[in-house]
Amino acid sequence: MSNHLKNITLRIWRQAGPAAKGNFETHVVDEITDEASFLEMLDILNDKLVTEGKEAVVFDHDCREGICGTCSLMIDGQAHGPQRGTATCQLHMRQFKSNDTITIEPWRASAFPIIKDLMVDRSAFDRIIESGGYITADTGGAPDANLIPIPKVIADAAMDSAECIGCGACVAACPNGAANLFTGAKIAHLSRLPQGQAERYSRVESMVETMDDHFGSCTSHGECEAACPKEISIDVIALMNKDFRKAKFANRKDLARK
Amino acid sequence: MTLTDELFAKNTVKLDSKIPDGPVADKWDNYKENMKLVNPNNKRKFKVIVVGTGLAGASAAATLAELGYQVDAFTFHDSARRAHSIAAQGGINGAKNYKGDGDSVHRLFYDTVKGGDFRAREANVHRLAQVSVDIIDQMVAQGVPFAREYGGLLDNRSFGGAQVSRTFYARGQTGQQLLLGAYQQFSRQVGLGGISLYNRSELIDIVVIDGRASGIVVRDLVTGEITSHAAHAVVLATGGYGNAFFLSTNAMACNVTAAWRAHRKGALFANPCYTQIHPTCIPQSDDSQSKLTLMSESLRNDGRVWVPVNPNETRPAHEVPEEERDYYLERLYPSFGNLAPRDISSRAAKRAVDKGQGVGPKKNGVYLDFSEAIERLGHDVVQERYGNLFEMYERIAGENPYETPMRIYPASHYTMGGLWVDYELQTNIPGLYAAGEANFSDHGANRLGASALMQGLADGYFVLPYTIGNGLAPLLNKPMPGIDHPEFKAAEDAARNRYNAYLAINGTKSPDYFHRELGKIIWDYCGMERTEEGLKKALELLPALYQEFKTDLRVTGSGDDMNQTLEKAGRVDDFFQLGMLMCRDALDRKESCGGHFRAEYQTDEGEALRDDVNYCHVAAWQWGGDPMTPNLNVEPLEFEAVHLATRSYK
Ligand SMILES: Cc1cc2nc3c(=O)[nH]c(=O)nc-3n(C[C@H](O)[C@H](O)[C@H](O)COP(=O)(O)OP(=O)(O)OC[C@H]3O[C@@H](n4cnc5c(N)ncnc54)[C@H](O)[C@@H]3O)c2cc1C
Ligand code: SF4
Ligand code: FES
């Protein structure tokens, strides 16, 4: 049965544009059912703001099921809020109590510039994928899907890292703003599969280099793993680093032969 | 105003479905043998705009770019990876017959035609079944980690409306994995320069010059800037309109604007009343809810649906003895049982809840019970199959499905209707194509589970790349209008005026308020069950509410930067106009078929009663200048390979 929370104070980051100076704005939610999701609470607040003639708080969201990776809020200093393995949109008000004060901020990372209020630009992630986060297989001409059996454990392990939703919480949580968990997850997905072997080393080289162009460097804090809504294991970073070293070595050998 | 049949003009456009010659199984091969080709070196002389980067759009854009066309891709999302396709859970069909259980292209074709209640075009459906096998090969080659058996071969499950196991899946995240596969292939082309990507960019108009689609007008959602883009062909892969109901399982941003704006520029909108209400969603818990969550239909493989026999039952589920439970799907449809198709299962749930047998605090659900499956298979196997869905359920409903049966209820999920297209997926406007959920083509009056992902990828990977070439070949080296053409300027001005007008109303109610109210009307009168009286009522309520929208809307902020309230206003405006067409179409179709259930037309047992003499056709509506006065065009459906039969799942 549902309960009602009373008197929730929200401190929300407002920022008019990328170059504008931002500040916290305070709003009080008098009453809300604990069945409501966190974002539904913001919907209700926004509806009220618009009716009062004020501008709604801008925030990114879409699927509201924890799968699209669009939602992206720093809640009380934690990426996606207090519940482990949970994206912002899956957070329900049951996680909070009456009279709580909740601070809501955007992802803060130099690679993710703020667009407005709580919305940031994460296109640097797309640049990493564009540089090699794929298996080259033009449409048509693929062999029968069952031609290459893949042991279940391998397929499952690939799936574990393929589950990354590209939300950027790992970057936001990292003191250095590094994207190693995101990049490592894609590399681990593709490099574990037989289909991904042909490009294994060229892929890791170009993805890591693109990552380094945009993001900070990893110093193994491990905050990323704790913040990740899909609980991607930090092991993927080790795998990426190992492959990257091999790639550098292999490519030197190739060059020497020429 | 009274609503009579005479209100609309009929057969105003000549419809040519361009179905190739030959027996149904040979049509696609015949088409490919006879189509015109564009020489590889000439392909780069053509620019193709693809709007939408879901499964249909990303696969089309990537393939067209691989072939050498210049592709401009647009999405209102921040990244191509986020389209609504990402949320699909259950799986994708492919007639591989890997299980040796008697599947074949013909059987998938037949199941889809029958599942659609004989209201789809045979030739399109057959092609879909044919290319379904190539999709699975293509996705595996790209590294999609589909579920596998211990021997390393691909695993399959079964879905509603089928008696074979032909559904491929990746845990409960099949849509995510397929979309990421297509997105990666798409991103490779962005990196190589074959695709220019415009993200956070919303199509707000289509430009038609001398009867041909010549480009689009787009609003940059970050800066508010409105710009034009010209091309030789435009593909709309912009998804469905299920959010017309406000509460649905669709992602929050899904909307009909792209298709609707094309409709207003002359593209016919087909079968708008064919909407799918999915039987297994989490029931609404309170009135402020913004969105409903689907529980994958795959759960019906092992879950059993029941309600207490006694409407006044108060005991918790596990205390209700077997003989006081009504496993109504197993009782009514013994051969398909819990896997009866969606429309049938949804209506059965509605009947139970309407009779007062609903469960949960609001008595607005039915049970989906796993206790028997847990006993039979063990906790671990059930967890392996459905673990993430159970977890998702618990997060939302606050109950643990391993211990308490899930509560489910139908919700708006998918729209079979959409832009009318011919066999080439071209609308009646030359140069304008529609793919994926945005078109009406393959599912008739009801879509079977795991067939939307299949259709989106079929359209994008294996159909459009051929048919667009056939359309472009004759245009080689012919001059095409550029964005300096006055039509582009006029469309830009009209769009600017439209958005400025929303800002200028300065009323008292938000776009969300209107969306919610609009959704209630459509759900009540054009939802799971429709009547002549109700639809007529809706057609009085909707214009009145629309009038209020136009005079009492409040949009704060400006049009010169990121303004989600303004975006929403434009989308709700188009939903209003579409909503009127949905009701009009439902009123005009005096039969029940698939997802369109008219209470007046049912069998003694309460099943849909089709009228093949008068309604075995596609209803394709033409914009008539006002949302209340559309013109009806009819494309008769002819069945050669399958016999029109009464659908039975008993
Ligand atoms: C919860 C859920 C689960 C599902 N599960 C399954 C399943 O298991 N199996 C199955 O087969 N089907 C399933 N479906 C259905 C299936 O997911 C969809 O039908 C399908 O993914 C639609 O793909 P699409 O490419 O046509 O459109 P979408 O994925 O909706 O993509 C639309 C694209 O168009 C863009 N767009 C739209 N309008 C504009 C505009 N005006 N300007 C610019 N860009 C625009 C969007 O940004 C987006 O990129 C499910 C649906 C839901 C809601
Ligand atoms: S690794 Fe985790 S936190 Fe980082 S983008 Fe992927 S899902 Fe988000
Ligand atoms: S809104 Fe899609 S993951 Fe949160």
Side-chain angles (χ1 to χ4, degrees), chain A residues 77-204:
Chain A
Q78 277 176 294
H80 290 306
Q83 200 177 356
R84 223 188 141 82
T86 303
T88 301
C89 60
Q90 296 173 289
L91 196 61
H92 279 72
M93 293 312 292
R94 313 189 181 96
Q95 302 294 323
F96 299 89
K97 314 187 290 300
S98 291
N99 305 314
D100 273 357
T101 296
I102 308 172
T103 303
I104 310 173
E105 293 169 89
W107 284 170
R108 296 196 191 272
S110 55
F112 293 162
I114 291 179
I115 293 175
K116 191 170 173 179
D117 295 343
L118 304 170
M119 179 185 276
V120 300
D121 178 358
R122 286 167 285 189
S123 27
F125 269 4
D126 290 326
R127 302 294 94 79
I128 296 178
I129 302 297
E130 286 155 16
S131 73
Y134 45 74
I135 290 171
T136 298
D138 283 0
T139 306
D144 185 84
N146 258 347
L147 192 68
I148 309 174
I150 305 179
K152 185 170 175 347
V153 281
I154 304 276
D156 284 349
M159 181 66 195
D160 286 341
S161 6
E163 283 184 346
C164 162
I165 58 174
C167 61
C170 46
V171 176
C174 174
N176 308 323
N180 290 48
L181 195 65
F182 168 80
T183 314
K186 187 45 58 192
I187 284 169
H189 159 207
L190 298 176
S191 303
R192 277 178 179 135
L193 295 172
Q195 288 83 355
Q197 297 312 308
E199 292 161 296
R200 179 165 183 167
Y201 296 105
S202 57
R203 172 185 312 120
V204 71

Side-chain angles (χ1 to χ4, degrees), chain B residues 335-353:
Chain B
S335 60
F336 281 75
N338 293 296
L339 286 174
R342 293 178 173 176
D343 50 341
I344 290 185
S345 311
S346 291
R347 276 198 301 278
K350 178 176 161 39
R351 282 198 298 265
V353 168

